[in-house]
Amino acid sequence: MFLSRQNFYHLFLLSTVLPTNAAIDRHALVSKYTPSRNASNPSTPMQVGNGNFAFGADVTGLQTFLPFATMSSWGWKNDSLPPNRTIEDVYNYRGESWYNHGRLVQYDFGGDPEIEQWLTANPNRVNLGSVGLVFLDTHTGVVRNITESNLSDMHQKLDLWTGIMSSSFCFNGSSINVTTTSAQDTSAISVTIVSSLLSPDTRNPSTRLGIFLNFPWADGSQKFSAPFVGNYSSALFSNHTTTLLNISGSNDSGIQAQILHQMVDAIFYTTVGSSTKINVTRDSPVAHRYTILPQTETDTISLVISYNDILPNEIPDAITVMQSSVDAWEAYWMNSGFIDLLTGSTDPRADELQRRIILSRYLMRVNEAEDNPPQESGLVNDGWVSLKFHMEQYFWHCAHWALWNNWELLRRSSSVYDRFLQTSLIRSQVQQGWPSGARWPKMTDPSGRSSPGEINNLLIWEQPHPLVFAEYEYRAFPEQGTLDKWAEVIRETANWMSVFAWFNQSTNVYDLGPPMYVVAEDTSPNVTINPAFELAYWRFGLGLAESWMEKLGEDVPTNWTKVKENLAPLPIENGTYAVYEGIETDFWTDPAYINDHPALVGLHGWLPETPGLNLTVAKLTAEKVWATWNFSNCWGWDFPMLAMSAARNNETENAVEWLLHPLFQFDDVGMPIGGVRVPTPYFPGSGALLYATAMMAQGWDGSEGKAPGFPRSGWNVQAEGLSMAL
């Protein structure tokens, strides 16, 4: 039995149980911001997904006219090795050794440049393939040259509450309706197409509608691959292979076609199930594009297209996929934190901020809830160095899950610290020669190997992050199991922090650096010593580690306490905190230091009040940043960090203004705009927005009153299910 598109969709709306007892009408607020389009956006797709898999669509609900990506957390490949190099050269790669206060430390940069570049670019994440509509000449079977301009009456919307995307449009007077949904426990989409063109009749004898699958080549040669990933050029057909496999076994599997795609040594499988019998043919012997047509006359076809790195023996049907989406999204919206800024507020800014929150909550669930730390562009494109992930950004990507109480999602990726512990111990003690501790990587991949590069090796602000994630988890689950789970990670994180700090006998304090890079990565590593933000974060982190050991009933290592209590004081120049000790006194007017992340405002905003911090100086420093920084060069999480600083300093009007700053933009579907320096989307901006708004709505340690980060006048803030920030 075939369902019309309308009945197919409404079947699931009827099965959705809407909330009846919540103080906030969550369904109404989420539905208010349903994204819609009447044309494709050439820069960003509309997406469905599940955190480990995402499908980006143009206005047709598929990838008919724009090759947006189908990305996953597991779809990685290695490129071929450079000429005259072997895998032994990779294993034997060694970088330079630099002196760190009289002792040599071996880093991952300055070695064989060919191998270094290969290690930086590999593995790289792949576009699993495109799915789109194909318009065929009925008589010849030749693909017609149809563009989006040939369509009319285009309407696309995304039901945020269910994760169901619907597109409708007309071609030569015939309607086409497409419904696209992502499975929530597998890497699969369901696609339901309703159109008389699936079986052409006398009303339109010249065109038949089908579906294509296309597979691009991908490699790590580009730092940025945005807005599209992979190359479909015929010039690269010989770089990779695709094969239409023979299907054997029982029809009970639901499988009607399988295609093997091989790039170098990596193999991926695309499996197709259908509500009706289909024919799958290859467009040409050399191309990697395939056409799907129903074998029987029908005006409705429901496909499930599944992606795997092992050959599956079954595939779910479309109804199962759609139901999984409905169930998972309803649970997501109902069973975690929620903020209502709109109901009862008179400030006109509440509407836009509410829109950003709702759309960010959706997109973070699609792109940033994977089994590994997310990459800056999530699962939209390869927006940042082969889609590797950057551990210093992990806080901005995922700390918001803790405040919104999405622990099932956060635990998917926070387990990375346990998984990467052994490689980080080896990096610290074997490669770099530190006496103890685990040195967490900056830029890495699922193997936990650090990518080469001077900044990748000398940045340090990622090091305390696991201490913060552990603290948030213990606050949510104050039990022995939580203490035991994080104990070894806490211990080895703090061990390295304590041995990295160097005791300066001339000043009787422990110094951080040199060599090192600050948060903004804009100072010379060989002169950077005692940067203000990193010193504060070190103190804060070691304090969390001490508390953890005490809760475990274990002795606190004396070296942790000795370093924490004797770290160098935060550097001050002319009454404000300085980026680092000894920086030029006029650094506030030097473009070299005021063009990137303004981490100085994080001293009291991102971070709580830490030992040795002078709140008056911190506020003066924040105000100096506001007055002098070149914000046209800032992006992403800079603006929520500025808002958090304003909120803690009771500058609540400024807090809202920073979250709505003209340079901090979100497009019509909620994609965070990268700005002048990074590609779109840049999801640390979305994560930081959600962290900041949760903090402003629910409060932080020591805050007073309801919604302490929002202005008292014009705002009626209701929050449910949130946790306080540190």
Side-chain angles (χ1 to χ4, degrees):
M1 170 183 165
F2 294 113
L3 297 170
S4 71
R5 174 182 179 270
Q6 289 78 11
N7 288 338
F8 190 77
Y9 180 64
H10 287 302
L11 170 68
F12 293 95
L13 290 186
L14 291 172
S15 70
T16 301
V17 179
L18 301 183
T20 58
N21 57 354
I24 298 174
D25 188 344
R26 298 186 178 200
H27 182 263
L29 269 179
V30 171
S31 299
K32 175 179 172 60
Y33 297 101
T34 297
S36 63
R37 283 177 170 173
N38 297 315
S40 298
N41 183 319
S43 301
T44 62
M46 196 173 279
Q47 277 187 307
V48 294
N50 60 33
N52 279 305
F53 170 80
F55 180 86
D58 63 23
V59 74
T60 67
L62 298 172
Q63 296 148 341
T64 305
F65 302 115
L66 293 174
F68 290 119
T70 306
M71 308 292 285
S72 71
S73 62
W74 49 264
W76 299 75
K77 62 168 279 292
N78 283 323
D79 299 335
S80 298
L81 290 168
N84 305 314
R85 301 296 196 278
T86 68
I87 193 64
E88 285 73 24
D89 295 318
V90 174
Y91 294 145
N92 294 329
Y93 171 84
R94 298 292 184 274
E96 294 179 355
S97 293
W98 283 16
Y99 278 103
N100 186 302
H101 298 289
R103 57 185 300 279
L104 281 173
V105 176
Q106 185 185 91
Y107 296 109
D108 291 325
F109 58 82
D112 180 338
E114 295 287 332
I115 294 298
E116 186 167 306
Q117 176 55 38
W118 189 90
L119 286 167
T120 300
N122 289 278
N124 46 81
R125 207 176 323 211
V126 305
N127 179 357
L128 297 170
S130 293
V131 182
L133 299 175
V134 60
F135 298 82
L136 302 169
D137 185 290
T138 302
H139 302 294
T140 65
V142 174
V143 176
R144 297 189 61 189
N145 184 23
I146 304 301
T147 66
E148 189 171 315
S149 64
N150 296 117
L151 306 183
S152 62
D153 297 324
M154 293 178 287
H155 303 283
Q156 183 183 34
K157 70 174 184 178
L158 175 60
D159 186 335
L160 302 172
W161 192 264
T162 62
I164 297 174
M165 180 165 52
S166 304
S167 298
S168 63
F169 43 92
C170 291
F171 174 73
N172 284 354
S174 296
S175 65
I176 302 171
N177 296 282
V178 180
T179 303
T180 312
T181 312
S182 172
Q184 294 301 300
D185 52 0
T186 59
S187 298
I189 57 169
S190 68
V191 179
T192 296
I193 304 167
V194 180
S195 177
S196 62
L197 295 180
L198 289 167
S199 295
D201 56 27
T202 56
R203 288 174 298 171
N204 196 337
S206 64
T207 303
R208 186 178 185 187
L209 187 66
I211 302 96
F212 73 75
L213 305 176
N214 203 2
F215 300 92
W217 166 253
D219 59 36
S221 60
Q222 301 297 316
K223 181 175 182 179
F224 303 126
S225 293
F228 310 120
V229 180
N231 194 320
Y232 294 89
S233 169
S234 58
L236 299 176
F237 281 171
S238 61
N239 286 18
H240 55 130
T241 62
T242 55
T243 305
L244 182 60
L245 303 178
N246 292 321
I247 303 300
S248 60
S250 168
N251 289 333
D252 292 342
S253 69
I255 295 172
Q256 293 205 39
Q258 289 184 311
I259 298 170
L260 180 154
H261 184 202
Q262 182 164 359
M263 291 182 284
V264 193
D265 294 326
I267 295 175
F268 306 99
Y269 297 95
T270 300
T271 301
V272 182
S274 175
S275 60
T276 185
K277 290 290 185 182
I278 56 175
N279 284 323
V280 181
T281 56
R282 188 169 189 161
D283 287 14
S284 80
V286 295
H288 302 298
R289 177 167 159 145
Y290 296 77
T291 297
I292 300 172
L293 294 171
Q295 288 185 10
T296 58
E297 290 197 7
T298 180
D299 65 358
T300 303
I301 185 171
S302 293
L303 300 174
V304 173
I305 303 166
S306 174
Y307 301 90
N308 302 86
D309 55 0
I310 58 174
L311 190 64
N313 55 21
E314 62 181 0
I315 191 169
D317 60 30
I319 291 178
T320 300
V321 169
M322 188 173 281
Q323 190 63 59
S324 76
S325 180
V326 170
D327 293 344
W329 280 104
E330 182 182 340
Y332 175 70
W333 291 115
M334 286 303 299
N335 297 333
S336 56
F338 205 91
I339 297 174
D340 178 2
L341 302 178
L342 198 60
T343 306
S345 292
T346 58
D347 193 309
R349 297 171 296 178
D351 181 56
E352 173 58 17
L353 189 52
Q354 184 75 64
R355 184 190 77 90
R356 295 183 180 197
I357 291 171
I358 295 295
L359 293 178
S360 294
R361 285 284 287 165
Y362 177 84
L363 286 173
M364 297 301 273
R365 172 70 172 77
V366 169
N367 289 279
E368 304 266 306
E370 63 174 271
D371 292 338
N372 292 304
Q375 196 266 355
E376 267 78 331
S377 56
L379 298 173
V380 176
N381 55 47
D382 276 0
W384 200 274
V385 192
S386 304
L387 258 180
K388 291 190 175 184
F389 40 90
H390 294 230
M391 295 297 287
E392 84 281 11
Q393 295 299 331
Y394 182 52
F395 179 92
W396 297 116
H397 281 290
C398 288
H400 66 94
W401 294 128
L403 300 192
W404 291 77
N405 282 302
N406 292 110
W407 284 99
E408 177 187 0
L409 302 181
L410 177 53
R411 283 168 170 164
R412 292 179 182 180
S413 59
S414 65
S415 63
V416 72
Y417 290 111
D418 184 62
R419 287 182 276 131
F420 285 3
L421 181 58
Q422 289 306 310
T423 56
S424 298
L425 288 167
I426 292 170
R427 181 178 304 108
S428 167
Q429 299 177 39
V430 177
Q431 175 191 323
Q432 298 185 356
W434 298 102
S436 66
R439 174 67 164 113
W440 301 110
K442 175 202 181 293
M443 175 175 155
T444 185
D445 57 66
S447 72
R449 177 181 55 79
S450 177
S451 292
E454 193 173 295
I455 292 174
N456 291 344
N457 279 252
L458 299 178
L459 201 72
I460 69 169
W461 65 279
E462 73 273 21
Q463 187 69 23
H465 287 352
L467 306 172
V468 176
F469 282 101
E471 179 66 20
Y472 274 130
E473 185 159 356
Y474 184 75
R475 289 183 171 210
F477 305 95
E479 54 201 28
Q480 189 65 37
T482 306
L483 294 171
D484 295 338
K485 169 186 173 181
W486 284 93
E488 197 63 18
V489 168
I490 297 287
R491 186 176 291 108
E492 298 302 342
T493 298
N495 280 343
W496 191 85
M497 291 170 66
S498 66
V499 299
F500 178 76
W502 176 73
F503 184 69
N504 187 331
Q505 293 185 345
S506 65
T507 57
N508 288 320
V509 298
Y510 284 91
D511 292 337
L512 297 183
M516 62 161 292
Y517 275 99
V518 297
V519 170
E521 304 173 9
D522 57 2
T523 64
S524 171
N526 289 311
V527 300
T528 301
I529 184 171
N530 294 329
F533 178 81
E534 284 79 356
L535 281 170
Y537 203 13
W538 235 247
R539 281 193 184 90
F540 181 57
L542 287 172
L544 293 176
E546 287 179 330
S547 176
W548 202 272
M549 291 299 108
E550 291 168 354
K551 287 192 284 279
L552 276 170
E554 298 183 12
D555 293 336
V556 176
T558 56
N559 198 41
W560 297 3
T561 304
K562 189 175 182 181
V563 169
K564 187 198 74 171
E565 294 182 353
N566 294 280
L567 274 172
L570 303 187
I572 295 178
E573 287 285 347
N574 297 322
T576 61
Y577 287 117
V579 175
Y580 67 88
E581 181 182 309
I583 195 172
E584 58 192 70
T585 56
D586 61 347
F587 78 91
W588 288 107
T589 60
D590 188 338
Y593 302 110
I594 58 173
N595 268 296
D596 216 302
H597 302 305
L600 286 172
V601 302
L603 289 169
H604 188 231
W606 172 5
L607 298 182
E609 181 181 355
T610 53
L613 182 76
N614 184 303
L615 293 182
T616 300
V617 175
K619 185 172 183 179
L620 290 172
T621 303
E623 291 169 349
K624 187 80 169 180
V625 169
W626 300 351
T628 63
W629 220 263
N630 177 19
F631 293 112
S632 65
N633 230 24
C634 293
W635 73 94
W637 52 271
D638 294 340
F639 296 98
M641 179 174 64
L642 286 156
M644 292 155 63
S645 172
R648 287 201 197 248
N649 285 311
N650 199 31
E651 300 278 357
T652 55
E653 278 290 335
N654 284 331
V656 172
E657 285 298 303
W658 285 120
L659 293 180
L660 296 171
H661 193 280
L663 295 175
F664 186 47
Q665 291 293 319
F666 294 76
D667 76 2
D668 60 322
V669 297
M671 293 286 180
I673 304 301
V676 298
R677 298 179 59 187
V678 296
T680 297
Y682 184 74
F683 281 115
S686 302
L689 171 81
L690 293 176
Y691 189 93
T693 52
M695 170 183 158
M696 291 163 61
Q698 188 66 26
W700 55 88
D701 288 357
S703 65
E704 297 179 354
K706 179 185 176 183
F710 284 92
R712 290 288 176 263
S713 176
W715 292 82
N716 180 45
V717 179
Q718 298 182 69
E720 294 175 349
L722 299 176
S723 291
M724 293 183 71
L726 292 168

